[in-house]
Amino acid sequence: MSSIINPTQAIANISVISGVKEHKDGRLYNASQEEYALPADQEEIRRLNSQHRAIVMSFNGHIPEDIKEDLSKKEKPRILDVGCGTGIWAIEVGEQLPNSEVVGIDLVSIHSEHHPLNVKFQRMDILEDFPKDWQGTFDLIHIRYLVVGVPNFDLLLPKIGKLLRPNGYLVSIEPDLVFKAEGYDETTSVTIKFATLVNQALNKLGRPTLPSKVVREVVQSSELFDLVRTELSEIPLSPWSDDERMKEIGNEHRKTTIYHGSAFKRLVLNAGYVSEEEYDLVCKGVEEEVSDAKMKLIFPVWMNHQASRALLISIPFCHSIRNSGVKEHTDGRGYNETTGEYILPADREEAARSDFQHKAIVMLFQGLVPEHIQKSLSEKEKPRILDVGRGTGCWSLDMASQYPEAEVIGRWENSFDLIYIRYLFMGVRDFTSLLERLTKLLKPDGHLICMEPTAYWAPVEEKDKELASMTIRYSDIFTEAMKLAGIDNDPPKVMRQYLDSNKDYKEVKNEYQGMPLSPCSDDERLKQCGETHLSNSIQMIQVFRRLILESKVINEEEYDQLSAQVEVEFREAKGELVLPIWRISAQKV
Ligand SMILES: C[S@@+](CC[C@H](N)C(=O)[O-])C[C@H]1O[C@@H](n2cnc3c(N)ncnc32)[C@H](O)[C@@H]1O
């Protein structure tokens, strides 16, 4: 039906078209989902690719720049494109982030056979459950123009949220299915009439007119996501603008607009509001209207992007880090806004640090939980696990993927098989009362694991004190600041005393490990732990800055000078210093 479209402009080499069947209108459609009534053939590929180019141009890129930058710093970010269509977005993002691993999923395979090796395509119905081993594994999930295929974003988005890693991103682009014509009587525009017909057909299927608003609302009200940002792009439907860039976008979208006619035909006719004859007449009118490019036709398209913590378990009685509920401090970093007592940051940088810390701890203790507890959990049918003050949720996510049947969430009395607390010493002033409350949540025979460090860094041998003298000085200052802030600097001792003397518990076990702060050790495993912990050690100096400066043990200038020297000692692996950590586990009687 198009006169201005050059078919050779479409992506060449589409060798993969599968999962489709021919309809009586002569076009191919997906073979499995009757309700999804847009085609899946060469012409649809041209429409989607042209639409893609217009969207990318109008949003100035495939993903917001800060998200791209963050992903490019990761070693091997995993990216998922849900309902990827021709895969053009997945392929181009795979090219831009060559270290990434991109997976595109769709009901059909209509992607180019020429794609980079780091991009893979899989046929999958996104209305079904996602593979279990995908939970908590993606750094970025992209969903775009899924309104026709998704009856209920309320159901889809939580499932998608669970696929994200802590701090993973969701980027969603959906249009408002309401075209506008600036400065014109909209009733005279046949393109707007066309949009109305599509809208009516979609409403009949229960789809929203403003899908981006629905996405935004679901995401904003979900505990799975925070930091929602929204951008609006008004995409010109034809090249009517005087502005060069807008004109180029309009030129690209004009092709899409014309293709819309045939693409939406089955959907609109199925709704039964117009005859085929009337519909074809409207589409002919659209083609003329956008070819003429006089009317200022606009298609509002919204991008919602969110950082997700992927798994939120909120236990109100301990001061866990939650990204929602964060406010900016004068030092430019985000801190929790509820308690003045917990003064470590709660921002993206802190989350990245915590994730490294988590990796190093798991490496050092060779596993997420002690072996005997691992065994006991794997014997249970559906263990319930609580991670208190979960931070970024990295331990919970790893546990959830190790025990897919487990439920790692909740807060009911007498109902958990395992409760895990780790590194809460900066936020919890009274460990005894915390343990008393947690004991109530455990089932009989349930396990408790407490993993806390002391608030000093210890030299392994006498000579290390000299080799890392600045770090030792820093550690002394840190301990002093903790004392002044009323923070117990030996929480493991308090916990041990509580568990040893409490008749509710049996089998109290104490395991000690010294976490190397830099890769000094001759022992290969400890050296590796030190390597993994190194960036965390360096960042700790910044993280404790506010606490130490507020204690006034040292002034800002001295602090910055000392921290620079400590950083050098860490980087040059001078002197073997460790952070003493105890893992204390016990079983409820
Ligand atoms: C309008 S296209 C958008 C494609 C791509 N996201 C883009 O922006 O270029 C919608 C895509 O969603 C896919 N889709 C619809 N329902 C689906 C389902 N239940 N499972 C998987 N994919 C689905 C369709 O096959 C189609 O490729």
Side-chain angles (χ1 to χ4, degrees):
M1 70 181 304
S2 64
S3 51
I4 60 158
I5 295 166
N6 170 7
T8 57
Q9 272 178 302
I11 247 192
N13 286 314
I14 308 295
S15 69
V16 193
I17 293 196
S18 60
V20 297
K21 65 176 181 206
E22 198 175 328
H23 187 67
K24 57 181 188 291
D25 64 7
R27 298 201 57 174
L28 302 177
Y29 291 83
N30 87 80
S32 47
Q33 264 278 356
E34 193 56 31
E35 211 178 274
Y36 185 72
L38 297 192
D41 53 14
Q42 292 287 2
E43 188 173 319
E44 180 67 352
I45 288 166
R46 282 181 219 121
R47 181 181 80 88
L48 292 178
N49 286 345
S50 165
Q51 182 169 268
H52 162 82
R53 286 189 285 271
I55 300 172
V56 169
M57 260 192 268
S58 67
F59 280 103
N60 283 315
H62 296 66
I63 36 178
E65 210 37 57
D66 56 339
I67 297 185
K68 192 165 157 196
E69 203 187 311
D70 193 30
L71 291 177
S72 61
K73 285 188 210 141
K74 294 192 192 286
E75 209 178 300
K76 199 173 180 49
R78 272 181 42 90
I79 299 172
L80 179 68
D81 188 13
V82 177
C84 62
T86 69
I88 189 166
W89 183 93
I91 292 173
E92 291 175 2
V93 168
E95 280 163 353
Q96 290 169 14
L97 296 167
N99 291 338
S100 65
E101 198 183 306
V102 187
V103 185
I105 51 171
D106 203 290
L107 280 178
V108 290
S109 302
I110 49 169
H111 54 269
S112 163
E113 70 168 354
H114 296 295
H115 57 81
L117 290 175
N118 59 334
V119 182
K120 293 190 181 65
F121 294 100
Q122 231 171 299
R123 281 231 304 275
M124 193 178 287
D125 186 343
I126 59 167
L127 304 182
E128 303 285 323
D129 286 342
F130 292 111
K132 269 201 173 134
D133 58 356
W134 279 14
Q135 304 280 320
T137 62
F138 288 97
D139 297 285
L140 165 67
I141 298 183
H142 175 249
I143 57 174
R144 190 172 72 183
Y145 280 39
L146 293 192
V147 58
V148 183
V150 175
N152 199 337
F153 281 104
D154 274 15
L155 294 180
L156 179 70
L157 291 167
K159 286 201 300 183
I160 285 184
K162 288 184 184 146
L163 300 182
L164 284 171
R165 282 197 175 126
N167 271 335
Y169 301 96
L170 168 69
V171 173
S172 138
I173 293 186
E174 291 296 330
D176 282 351
L177 299 170
V178 192
F179 293 179
K180 294 194 279 182
E182 255 175 31
Y184 283 81
D185 172 3
E186 297 192 341
T187 55
T188 62
S189 163
V190 354
T191 311
I192 289 179
K193 179 153 197 270
F194 168 79
T196 310
L197 289 176
V198 172
N199 226 326
Q200 282 172 341
L202 286 172
N203 285 341
K204 198 165 179 186
L205 286 176
R207 306 296 193 268
T209 305
L210 305 176
S212 73
K213 189 161 167 267
V214 175
V215 171
R216 190 155 58 249
E217 282 168 359
V218 175
V219 157
Q220 267 168 345
S221 62
S222 166
E223 279 259 286
L224 287 164
F225 301 97
D226 38 35
L227 303 174
V228 182
R229 288 184 295 175
T230 293
E231 287 171 45
L232 167 68
S233 232
E234 301 211 302
I235 300 187
L237 290 171
S238 65
W240 50 258
S241 179
D242 295 334
D243 176 278
E244 261 325 298
R245 198 176 79 89
M246 292 302 270
K247 194 168 181 159
E248 204 188 334
I249 298 171
N251 202 22
E252 191 58 59
H253 207 286
R254 170 160 58 177
K255 298 173 211 163
T256 312
T257 315
I258 292 170
Y259 280 131
H260 279 342
S262 170
F264 285 89
K265 186 168 179 173
R266 183 173 162 198
L267 183 99
V268 173
L269 294 189
N270 278 353
Y273 296 118
V274 279
S275 69
E276 185 169 1
E277 215 175 10
E278 280 173 282
Y279 182 79
D280 287 344
L281 213 61
V282 170
C283 293
K284 195 162 178 299
V286 171
E287 186 170 338
E288 281 163 10
E289 209 165 80
V290 297
S291 302
D292 174 45
K294 280 203 182 116
M295 201 177 268
K296 296 182 171 174
L297 288 162
I298 288 168
F299 187 25
V301 179
W302 295 82
M303 174 172 341
N304 293 315
H305 36 106
Q306 295 87 16
S308 159
R309 300 243 144 192
L311 190 72
L312 284 179
I313 308 160
S314 64
I315 300 298
F317 53 71
C318 69
H319 312 308
S320 64
I321 301 173
R322 296 191 48 167
N323 218 7
S324 48
V326 169
K327 65 173 179 219
E328 202 176 317
H329 187 67
T330 45
D331 64 6
R333 299 207 50 176
Y335 292 85
N336 86 81
E337 60 189 5
T338 43
T339 166
E341 285 184 357
Y342 187 78
I343 57 168
L344 294 197
D347 50 16
R348 202 169 288 162
E349 207 177 318
E350 176 65 356
R353 183 188 75 80
S354 310
D355 286 346
F356 269 113
Q357 179 169 275
H358 164 72
K359 271 190 202 141
I361 294 174
V362 173
M363 211 185 271
L364 186 72
F365 280 87
Q366 302 184 62
L368 293 161
V369 290
E371 242 172 68
H372 68 289
I373 297 183
Q374 246 182 61
K375 192 164 166 285
S376 146
L377 287 177
S378 46
E379 282 161 5
K380 290 190 195 295
E381 206 178 303
K382 195 172 171 44
R384 303 193 72 229
I385 298 166
L386 179 62
D387 179 6
V388 180
R390 80 214 172 265
T392 64
C394 43
W395 183 86
S396 313
L397 282 169
D398 282 357
M399 283 298 281
S401 64
Q402 191 161 325
Y403 300 96
E405 299 309 324
E407 199 186 343
V408 197
I409 193 159
R411 59 173 104 127
W412 293 271
E413 301 227 325
N414 208 12
S415 66
F416 287 97
D417 295 290
L418 169 61
I419 296 183
Y420 181 74
I421 65 173
R422 186 171 81 189
Y423 281 31
L424 298 188
F425 68 107
M426 294 292 288
V428 175
R429 297 292 185 271
D430 183 352
F431 271 102
T432 307
S433 99
L434 173 65
L435 290 180
E436 269 164 12
R437 275 174 290 167
L438 293 180
T439 304
K440 291 194 187 121
L441 305 185
L442 270 182
K443 279 186 195 163
D445 278 342
H447 298 275
L448 174 69
I449 305 176
C450 312
M451 213 155 166
E452 292 294 332
T454 57
Y456 57 84
W457 299 339
V460 172
E461 287 178 35
E462 207 47 36
K463 69 172 174 33
D464 296 311
K465 274 192 187 166
E466 293 243 324
L467 289 169
S469 58
M470 291 300 138
T471 314
I472 293 279
R473 179 163 142 68
Y474 182 92
S475 173
D476 289 344
I477 288 171
F478 174 58
T479 311
E480 184 60 23
M482 296 274 283
K483 224 190 273 169
L484 290 170
I487 301 171
D488 193 329
N489 56 26
D490 198 353
K493 192 168 147 204
V494 179
M495 298 184 144
R496 213 176 295 122
Q497 277 169 355
Y498 176 84
L499 293 173
D500 279 338
S501 62
N502 192 319
K503 290 197 185 65
D504 285 327
Y505 287 99
K506 59 183 178 186
E507 315 273 346
V508 182
K509 276 192 185 181
N510 259 298
E511 294 168 78
Y512 167 80
Q513 294 279 357
M515 172 65 78
L517 296 172
S518 62
C520 292
S521 179
D522 295 334
D523 177 287
E524 224 7 79
R525 192 172 67 85
L526 292 180
K527 192 167 178 182
Q528 252 185 20
C529 288
E531 246 156 39
T532 310
H533 202 276
L534 178 64
S535 73
N536 182 33
S537 308
I538 292 167
Q539 285 177 62
M540 276 196 312
I541 321 168
Q542 290 318 317
V543 164
F544 296 138
R545 188 171 194 276
R546 188 177 154 199
L547 172 88
I548 293 177
L549 291 184
E550 286 186 7
S551 75
K552 302 209 172 9
V553 180
I554 184 172
N555 69 33
E556 195 167 349
E557 203 180 313
E558 282 173 307
Y559 184 90
D560 290 338
Q561 211 173 22
L562 178 63
S563 56
Q565 289 162 326
V566 174
E567 181 170 340
V568 171
E569 285 185 354
F570 280 150
R571 285 192 191 286
E572 293 180 358
K574 283 191 170 164
E576 201 172 342
L577 295 190
V578 295
L579 172 67
I581 310 174
W582 274 267
R583 179 161 72 182
I584 309 165
S585 52
Q587 191 170 16
K588 196 169 168 186
V589 178

